[in-house]
Structure formats: structure tokens, C-alpha cells
Amino acid sequence: MQTKRWYIDERQPEQQAIEEAADRLRNGRTVAFPTETVYGLGADATDEAAVSGIFEAKGRPEDNPLIAHVATKKQLSRLVTTLPSVAEKLIDTFTPGPITIVLPSNGTCASNVTAGLSTIGVRIPDHPVAQNLLKTCDIPVAAPSANISGKPSPTTADHVWADLQGKIAGLVDAGATGVGLESTVIDCTQEIPVILRPGGITKAQLEMAVGSVMVDPALANTADKPKAPGMKYKHYAPDVPMWLVAGSPENIQAVIDRERDDAKRIGVMASTQTANRLQADRIITLGSDLRDIAATLYDALRVFKNGDVDLIVCETFPRTDIGQAIMNRLEKAATAYVDS
Ligand code: TXA
Ligand code: MG
């Protein structure tokens, strides 16, 4: 399949690109587009065959439901049986923004969007291009992250191109995304909302808005079956093994030196402060605060290629603010956890 790539910049009027992309979506085809978190791979959420195209292109397991994206609260309310007051509060406070709300589905979306569940994840993204595309095509758009299943989510159009070129009908390229990690998924089908996936909106922010919020116990304890089906899969894997190493820069350096003695080439991912104090074969600096680290993490995970280095050593980060989401993704990407 030929993948059409539109550039949202001075090369072409934005509306022309968006109209073409929207046409493809309305015609049952797959189009990748930017959101404020990561690029998504979209298809008409009401069209089962179109949605199958997403699973096929990504190689995604069929039991993993997709998020339906819409431009407005009104469109969102058309996909669910009820809008409980806590969900309404979350929508009014955080959308458009990096949050996905799980509610009872009313069946408007195709059954493969929800992977047969009675609930549906709905999201109003906060990206001008995503908003424009969703308003222009005027259909709910099912969209998982636009990567091959198991790989890090794409934060640039080049990441999408590398994974899906030739497998999808289009790609709207508007440069790098902002947050860099996927939306917070929160289940609002019970009285107290439950965080199923940590993300751009933190637990503290959610509690400020709606009071008590629980966290899916499976996020802390790998023995429990996660409520977001996608959370059980190994994810975000770089090409080479990655160790998450806790401890001071000196302790991390000791682990690097020990492994180098084995003639291994070592790549490092660390904050600016830590990176300045380490020596290795290749060092990628993620940034100096947690928000910067979140924004660069997935790109860094794609940089190290087989043959470049034999092992990636990555620092651990405090689980405060977006650090919770960073550590959740790193734990899925890592092959081992070393407490140095
Ligand atoms: O930021 C994001 O959320 C990005 C952008 C493109 O919007 N999308 C994204 O989609 O990360 P995906 O498919 O890669 O991750 C969706 C997660 C999965 O873990 C899935 O299992 C969970 O949300 N999910 C979706 N619908 C659900 C439902 N009805 N109940 C529980 N979990 C659900
Ligand atoms: Mg994903």
C-alpha cells in the first residue's frame, strides 16, 4: 500500500492536507496523526473492517481494545450509555488533554474497537492538528499508538514512517508530539475511578478534581491481571537488552564498569545531571526534569540499535508527578532491574 505523507508546515495549506486525510478516514482507510501525547493510527471507529486495518498494520493482539478519539464532549457522549458526574468533571477539567476515560459503551463503535468488552475508552486530544482532523472527518476515530506492537510509541512522524510505511494509507506529519507518553487511562464505570495506566495527567491532579482515585493493583503487583488489557503485554522494547539500574551515579558507574569488563559495549540513558557523571560507550541525555525526560524517552529507546551497543543501562527516576508514568514504561521496556 502506498502511504501518503502530508506535512503540516509551509509546504502545503493545512486544510488541504486535513481534507485529504479526513477523506481517507471516512473511506475506511488508516491514517496516522499527531496528538499531544504520541502519534495515533486512526480509522473510522464505527466501521469494523476499517478498524481491522489498524490491528493488521500494527500486528496488534485482537484482545487489546482501542481508544475512540473525538473532538468534543458532545461527540463523546454519543458513544456511551451514561456520563456519570465524576466522568463529566474529569472531562470538564482535563479535556482536551492527555486523559482517556473508560465508560459503558452504547455500541456505536464497532465491536473490535472494544475487543468485545462492554466498556469503551474515549479521549479528546489536545493537539490542533488532531482537533482539526477529528472535526473535519466528523466521525469517532479509533486510534492506538502508531507503532508496530511491542515497540516504543512514536513521538515523531519519522518513528511512524519507520514502523508503518507501506502498511497504512496516510501519515499527517506535524513534527514532534509534546507530552511524549500516552494518556492516563481512568476507569469511571465504578463509584471510585480507577487509574488503569499512569500518564500525562497525574494521580494528584485527578484527586484535586474528583477526590478519591484508586490505582489498578496490577500496576504495582505483576501477579494481578491488569484491567487495561494492553498493560499485560511487554512493551516499548528497544532493540538491545536494557537494565534499569537504581542507585547513585557512582553505583550506576560500577555496574557499567563491571559489564564492560565482559567486553560488552554499554549505552546509557540518564538525566542530564546523572549523564554528566557517567562514562560509557554511548550516552543519551534525556533532559533535566521529569517532563523533559517523558518527552524524549521513546525517541531514546529507538536510538540504540543492534550492533551499536550490547546493553543499555538506564537510570531509575522518582515516581512523583509524571515519574510514575516514566517508571511504568521503563519497567515494561527493561529486561532486568538492578538495585546497585
Ligand atoms: O495517548 C494515548 O492514549 C495514545 C494516543 C494515540 O491517543 N493512544 C494509545 O492507545 O496509547 P493504545 O491503544 O496504544 O493504548 C490504549 C490502552 C491499552 O492499554 C488498552 O488496553 C487500554 O488503553 N484500553 C482501551 N480501551 C479500554 C477499555 N475499554 N477498558 C480498559 N482498558 C482499555
Ligand atoms: Mg500503544
Side-chain angles (χ1 to χ4, degrees):
M1 182 185 319
Q2 182 122 24
T3 304
K4 169 93 195 219
R5 184 165 175 169
W6 301 274
Y7 296 87
I8 304 297
D9 58 17
E10 55 292 338
R11 271 172 260 191
Q12 182 184 13
E14 171 167 336
Q15 208 48 38
Q16 184 189 327
I18 295 296
E19 293 285 352
E20 284 181 32
D23 264 351
R24 279 174 168 74
L25 286 172
R26 278 190 299 250
N27 289 325
R29 308 188 68 199
T30 48
V31 173
F33 61 97
T35 78
E36 79 282 24
T37 58
V38 300
Y39 274 76
L41 177 59
D44 180 350
T46 65
D47 177 344
E48 182 158 350
V51 171
S52 297
I54 294 177
F55 284 92
E56 233 164 79
K58 279 182 61 91
R60 181 174 174 112
E62 276 170 21
D63 67 347
N64 192 3
L66 309 179
I67 297 167
H69 294 65
V70 289
T72 64
K73 181 171 160 187
K74 194 161 172 207
Q75 289 173 320
L76 185 156
S77 67
R78 292 192 196 119
L79 307 180
V80 298
T81 57
T82 73
L83 208 51
S85 62
V86 54
E88 200 149 3
K89 195 83 193 277
L90 290 173
I91 293 166
D92 293 340
T93 312
F94 298 112
T95 69
I99 186 166
T100 295
I101 300 174
V102 174
L103 290 166
S105 169
N106 69 6
T108 299
C109 289
S111 63
N112 52 351
V113 173
T114 59
L117 297 176
S118 60
T119 57
I120 185 159
V122 284
R123 160 157 150 71
I124 304 174
D126 183 22
H127 189 293
V129 171
Q131 278 282 329
N132 188 353
L133 181 63
L134 291 168
K135 284 195 176 121
T136 304
C137 68
D138 199 26
I139 45 173
V141 173
S145 49
N147 51 285
I148 295 282
S149 267
K151 290 241 250 164
S153 296
T155 52
T156 68
D158 284 342
H159 296 159
V160 180
W161 195 251
D163 277 11
L164 298 176
Q165 189 237 330
K167 296 180 173 167
I168 61 178
L171 164 60
V172 183
D173 178 346
T177 58
V179 179
L181 298 180
E182 304 86 340
S183 62
T184 304
V185 179
I186 184 160
D187 182 350
C188 289
T189 59
Q190 284 145 46
E191 205 165 299
I192 300 180
V194 186
I195 297 174
L196 306 185
R197 177 177 73 180
I201 306 282
T202 64
K203 182 164 185 270
Q205 285 176 291
L206 294 166
E207 282 173 337
M208 286 264 285
V210 294
S212 235
V213 171
M214 298 197 300
V215 177
D216 184 358
L219 290 179
N221 172 7
T222 45
D224 283 343
K225 188 166 172 273
K227 293 219 174 54
M231 298 298 281
K232 71 175 179 279
Y233 293 107
K234 188 128 190 96
H235 253 61
Y236 318 111
D239 272 6
V240 273
M242 180 172 90
W243 290 3
L244 259 181
V245 183
S248 67
E250 292 69 32
N251 292 340
I252 297 173
Q253 188 65 53
V255 171
I256 294 169
D257 291 344
R258 198 181 67 217
E259 294 306 309
R260 270 173 133 184
D261 280 348
D262 268 353
K264 278 191 206 152
R265 281 158 309 159
I266 312 294
V268 162
M269 284 172 39
S271 64
T272 313
Q273 306 85 302
T274 303
N276 286 339
R277 296 172 61 185
L278 296 178
Q279 287 197 316
D281 296 285
R282 179 148 189 207
I283 297 183
I284 292 188
T285 304
L286 297 172
S288 50
D289 66 48
L290 290 173
R291 292 276 155 181
D292 286 346
I293 291 165
T296 51
L297 186 66
Y298 287 150
D299 185 63
L301 286 173
R302 282 174 179 261
V303 168
F304 292 109
K305 297 278 180 248
N306 245 325
D308 255 358
V309 293
D310 304 298
L311 176 69
I312 303 168
V313 166
C314 180
E315 175 186 19
T316 59
F317 299 99
R319 290 172 203 264
T320 52
D321 189 52
I322 203 169
Q324 188 72 44
I326 293 173
M327 287 304 293
N328 168 266
R329 308 308 193 266
L330 282 174
E331 281 167 354
K332 286 173 177 292
T335 45
Y337 189 98
V338 183
D339 210 343
S340 64

